[in-house]
Amino acid sequence: MRFVIIGGDAAGMSAASRAKRNKPELQVIVLEQGQDVSYSACNIPYNIADPERKIEDLVVRSAEAFREKQQIDLRTGHRVERIDRTTKTVHGHTVDGTSFSVRYDQLLIATGARSIRPRIEGMDLPGVFVVKNLEHGRSIKDFLASRKARRAVILGMGYIALEMAEALSARGLKIDMIKPRKGLLPWLDPALSQQVRDHLEQHGVSLYDGQAIERIIAKDDHLQVVSDPLQLDCDIVVAAIGVKPNAELARDAGLPLSVGGSISVDHHLRTLDPDIFAAGDCADSYHLVTEEKTWTPLALRANRAGWAVADAVCGNPVILPGIAGTAVFKVFAMQVARTGLSAKEAQKAGFDSVSVQIKSKSRAEIYPGAQPIHVCMIGDRATGRLLGAQMVGTDQVAHRINAVAVALLAKMSVAEFCQSDLAYAPPFGPTWDPLLVAANQLVKKMPPTPR
Amino acid sequence: MRFVIIGGDAAGMSAASRAKRNKPELQVIVLEQGQDVSYSACNIPYNIADPERKIEDLVVRSAEAFREKQQIDLRTGHRVERIDRTTKTVHGHTVDGTSFSVRYDQLLIATGARSIRPRIEGMDLPGVFVVKNLEHGRSIKDFLASRKARRAVILGMGYIALEMAEALSARGLKIDMIKPRKGLLPWLDPALSQQVRDHLEQHGVSLYDGQAIERIIAKDDHLQVVSDPLQLDCDIVVAAIGVKPNAELARDAGLPLSVGGSISVDHHLRTLDPDIFAAGDCADSYHLVTEEKTWTPLALRANRAGWAVADAVCGNPVILPGIAGTAVFKVFAMQVARTGLSAKEAQKAGFDSVSVQIKSKSRAEIYPGAQPIHVCMIGDRATGRLLGAQMVGTDQVAHRINAVAVALLAKMSVAEFCQSDLAYAPPFGPTWDPLLVAANQLVKKMPPTPR
């Protein structure tokens, strides 16, 4: 049997490796249009921050290792252009222009996502970049090495934009950030979002939200981002306004798309065509809380979905329960964590959403280094169910969110979560963890349920 | 109605405060033998580490605040000596020798635990201490302030002993630790325990386990702990060999005791007598995993149990689901975390216990500062159920354990836990969190269950 995979990054290579481990006799062919496989895209901003490190350090496993150690038929420089579902064949061209066709028994589309390029004049100027793959990272590092850049403008204020703000700030640049819509991290509770805003401003970052970006122009020896009457002078522009799924191959083959244009898959990662799977940033998923389709292009999901496809192809199908929407990032010292639904998302999904905001500490009050932690926790007044949580703070925030992520997987009520036996020692938190403080407040707004 | 509480620390004052909040008209009397109420015992080692801080900093809320702001009738210097269940009266003496009697409608015994004093010669020598309450902390600080102490011997190697090792090391003392039985933290997986041992030795701590402590003797200007042929010279000895419940009042009143001599209570914290509750370090609890009685004198449980008693007394009884046995501590830079059962405990409890040990990283492999994390995860081969986890490492370990603590509350299988949507970003872990790496290994040893 032949298992063909389009795309050689997280989902694709996870699927290929696991399929070979599951069933060594399986023929596994990976068609990757570029030369880089299995690299850590999430680390690109941190790599850019450090001029001493090479972008190639981000390659987790070389194409040769996959070929020689795992017997995966990995074909780099192979761009697939069409899927013929009738003949079960994919067609395309290699990087040197030769056409190729490969027949499949089972196919995985793992084509990932790409940066959205703002449709404005000046995006093609030297010094203007997007940041998604290794090649982008390399270009930005080469550019910074080639001149003394002093100011950067970042288009967008999502987590990649914020990570790039930290990275370029570490390189000594003054940072301006701009986005058309009002609001920094609009999925965060406003009180928590304000904490992040204050932190950025304390680190010298200027935030211009609610400012339409009109164009980028070249001025003598520098660039200017124009957003009348605002004119932001800089040496480098990085656009990080979001990503979109690479779903054209699937669409052109008649496979249905879903949220955000991602490829629609079932709990087994199957598309409408039983012989074609999709996984990773190009595919959708179910949300644990809403049980509706969602699109969450994140690394853990991509790896897990790749494994699930391999298991299905090898005859041991697993059902992925869906994603909780857990995400963390840091910008300077500020850690931001979320899982489940925000109050707004919960309302939109039809829950009788109610939330609390509390402020607690990262360590016991009197333990040196204790920092504020702000928590927002969301529940459903109708059923008492826990729907989500968000946290910000500069000390020991990120991992705390996992307690809620597991509670969402278990579909716990707020009252049940209140009884969690969470860890306590003075260096790591108050006796009642900030999450329990929030849950103890939230449960008062829940219906009295028999426990 | 009159609610009488014996003991004014975590469980007692939590119960008093919550009962007054629940029902302001309730008469709440707290009888505390000492003068200190509501102090943070867990912070004593960290306070000792810092000569600039006063031991009084550990008082969370003063007796006056409880009396004036919360209308709690808090009587310090009141030692209860007898409970007469027939007349529903407690009898005792005040610190100045006056006898008193107080009638109750509902009674809470929250008498806590006390340090076990080793039965060896020399325990009463100047410079020999136990460490449990504020007064002990004060004595140790006064002693250290009064002379140039250079060496300490700590009797015991439990988590308080280890926290004291760090504290006294921070004060510039060379530390020897000694205990009669072989093994450092015997409830830890041997591979994990070895990591802690190595870390202690790197910090100049000498460990003598499997050495019976014979006596302590005074020598000219110093002390000597004798364990033939070993003779440990030192300026100060701290005994931290464990605690035992203050259950004599309950026992003498004919109430049944349980594990470790703790007071036996049901899921509502009631003793055999429906009008008498027990909570905090003097009372037992149910273990979430074994559903058997256990005794876990820890702060969160004490606070939570105090609340539950107040709720029951006020007519809103809640059932505490039991404890997962979550515990964390740090010694120097090493963080140790556990929840649920160890492999040995699981076996002893009748499970078909199976475990894995894995080594992963605290951050993405290529992110600066990534440190090893060792995880041991335990499951039940018969049912596929997750039974517990343990972790050690020097970076971002403590909070990770909470994901497993919540999974135990939900009685998840290992296969279900494998699907947890845990947080990922390079500063906070690899794509697959160390817990997921362990769970993905452990699930291979579990029975194939329909998911």
Side-chain angles (χ1 to χ4, degrees), chain A residues 53 304 326 366 418 420-421, chain B residues 53 304 324 326 366 418 420-421:
Chain A
R53 291 163 74 202
R304 183 175 270 153
T326 312
I366 51 179
C418 281
S420 304
D421 190 8
Chain B
R53 292 164 74 201
R304 182 174 271 155
T326 312
I366 51 178
C418 281
S420 304
D421 190 9

Side-chain angles (χ1 to χ4, degrees), chain A residues 273-287:
Chain A
D273 183 325
D275 295 321
I276 306 182
F277 297 83
D281 291 359
C282 64
D284 69 1
S285 56
Y286 287 91
H287 196 288

Side-chain angles (χ1 to χ4, degrees), chain A residues 81-351:
Chain A
E81 285 146 2
R82 192 164 63 85
I83 301 168
D84 184 336
R85 289 167 53 199
T86 324
T87 60
K88 297 181 77 173
T89 310
V90 299
H91 304 279
H93 284 86
T94 64
V95 70
D96 59 13
T98 316
S99 70
F100 68 86
S101 298
V102 180
R103 254 193 58 83
Y104 63 84
D105 295 301
Q106 306 265 279
L107 179 69
L108 167 60
I109 306 173
T111 41
R114 62 178 177 275
S115 286
I116 299 174
R117 291 177 70 88
R119 293 187 194 187
I120 54 169
E121 189 186 314
M123 275 303 293
D124 50 355
L125 286 171
V128 179
F129 301 93
V130 294
V131 53
K132 177 76 179 71
N133 60 33
L134 275 197
E135 202 42 51
H136 299 143
R138 191 178 285 125
S139 306
I140 293 172
K141 292 195 90 158
D142 288 349
F143 184 83
L144 291 174
S146 72
R147 74 205 64 204
K148 177 74 199 130
R150 287 168 306 139
R151 298 182 65 109
V153 174
I154 296 174
L155 313 183
M157 297 187 191
Y159 72 94
I160 295 172
L162 292 168
E163 288 171 352
M164 282 305 299
E166 181 182 342
L168 294 177
S169 187
R171 297 288 296 254
L173 280 73
K174 163 77 180 79
I175 312 291
D176 291 325
M177 303 185 79
I178 183 167
K179 65 174 266 204
R181 267 185 271 187
K182 264 283 175 203
L184 174 67
L185 306 170
W187 46 265
L188 258 190
D189 181 82
L192 275 58
S193 173
Q194 188 61 46
Q195 297 295 321
V196 183
R197 183 180 284 270
D198 292 349
H199 190 78
L200 285 163
E201 287 172 353
Q202 281 158 22
H203 282 78
V205 176
S206 301
L207 299 172
Y208 302 99
D209 51 325
Q211 294 279 351
I213 305 153
E214 286 156 36
R215 60 191 171 281
I216 305 167
I217 55 178
K219 284 252 182 184
D220 307 329
D221 62 340
H222 70 282
L223 297 166
Q224 190 180 69
V225 176
V226 179
S227 167
D228 258 350
L230 197 64
Q231 294 172 334
L232 301 173
D233 292 300
C234 60
D235 304 295
I236 179 172
V237 174
V238 177
I241 63 168
V243 295
K244 64 178 168 190
N246 293 322
E248 289 78 4
L249 269 182
R251 184 198 60 201
D252 295 347
L255 300 172
L257 304 189
S258 148
V259 185
S262 58
I263 305 168
S264 181
V265 293
D266 67 12
H267 279 286
H268 293 99
L269 289 314
R270 265 201 181 81
T271 65
L272 181 77
D273 183 325
D275 295 321
I276 306 182
F277 297 83
D281 291 359
C282 64
D284 69 1
S285 56
Y286 287 91
H287 196 288
L288 263 184
V289 181
T290 63
E291 294 177 12
E292 301 287 335
K293 285 298 186 86
T294 184
W295 179 56
T296 307
L298 287 176
L300 175 59
R301 166 71 189 187
N303 281 271
R304 183 175 270 153
W307 279 17
V309 170
D311 289 344
V313 165
C314 297
N316 308 306
V318 295
I319 288 177
L320 291 191
I323 59 133
T326 312
V328 295
F329 69 91
K330 85 171 190 68
V331 55
F332 301 107
M334 183 62 75
Q335 302 178 17
V336 180
R338 71 164 297 181
T339 191
L341 303 179
S342 71
K344 262 189 239 167
E345 290 163 348
Q347 213 162 14
K348 214 172 142 189
F351 290 102

Side-chain angles (χ1 to χ4, degrees), chain A residues 14 18 21 40 42-43 46 50 53 57-59 163 166 288 298-301 303-304 307 311 318-330 335-336 339 362 364-368 396-407 409-410 412 416-429 431-433 436 440 444 451, chain B residues 14 18 21 40 42-43 46 50 53 57-59 163 166 288 298-301 303-304 307 311 318-330 335-336 339 362 364-368 396-407 409-410 412 416-429 431-433 436 440 444 451:
Chain A
S14 290
R18 189 166 173 105
R21 265 200 309 277
S40 176
C42 307
N43 271 290
Y46 307 106
D50 182 355
R53 291 163 74 202
D57 293 353
L58 299 179
V59 174
E163 288 171 352
E166 181 182 342
L288 263 184
L298 287 176
L300 175 59
R301 166 71 189 187
N303 281 271
R304 183 175 270 153
W307 279 17
D311 289 344
V318 295
I319 288 177
L320 291 191
I323 59 133
T326 312
V328 295
F329 69 91
K330 85 171 190 68
Q335 302 178 17
V336 180
T339 191
S362 63
E365 184 80 43
I366 51 179
Y367 191 91
Q396 302 186 72
V397 168
H399 298 293
R400 282 188 150 97
I401 204 70
N402 287 341
V404 181
V406 174
L409 178 59
M412 274 190 187
E416 284 166 327
F417 185 75
C418 281
Q419 299 296 340
S420 304
D421 190 8
L422 302 189
Y424 162 62
F428 305 117
T431 309
W432 292 98
D433 188 272
L436 292 175
N440 286 336
K444 295 180 192 167
R451 278 186 277 181
Chain B
S14 290
R18 189 164 173 107
R21 266 200 311 274
S40 176
C42 308
N43 271 291
Y46 308 106
D50 183 355
R53 292 164 74 201
D57 293 352
L58 299 179
V59 174
E163 287 170 352
E166 180 182 342
L288 264 183
L298 287 177
L300 175 60
R301 165 71 189 188
N303 282 270
R304 182 174 271 155
W307 279 16
D311 290 344
V318 295
I319 288 177
L320 292 192
I323 59 133
T326 312
V328 295
F329 68 91
K330 85 171 189 70
Q335 303 178 16
V336 181
T339 191
S362 63
E365 184 80 44
I366 51 178
Y367 191 89
Q396 303 186 72
V397 168
H399 298 293
R400 283 188 150 97
I401 205 71
N402 287 341
V404 181
V406 174
L409 179 59
M412 275 189 187
E416 283 165 330
F417 185 75
C418 281
Q419 299 296 341
S420 304
D421 190 9
L422 302 188
Y424 163 61
F428 305 117
T431 309
W432 292 97
D433 188 273
L436 292 176
N440 286 336
K444 294 181 193 168
R451 276 187 275 180

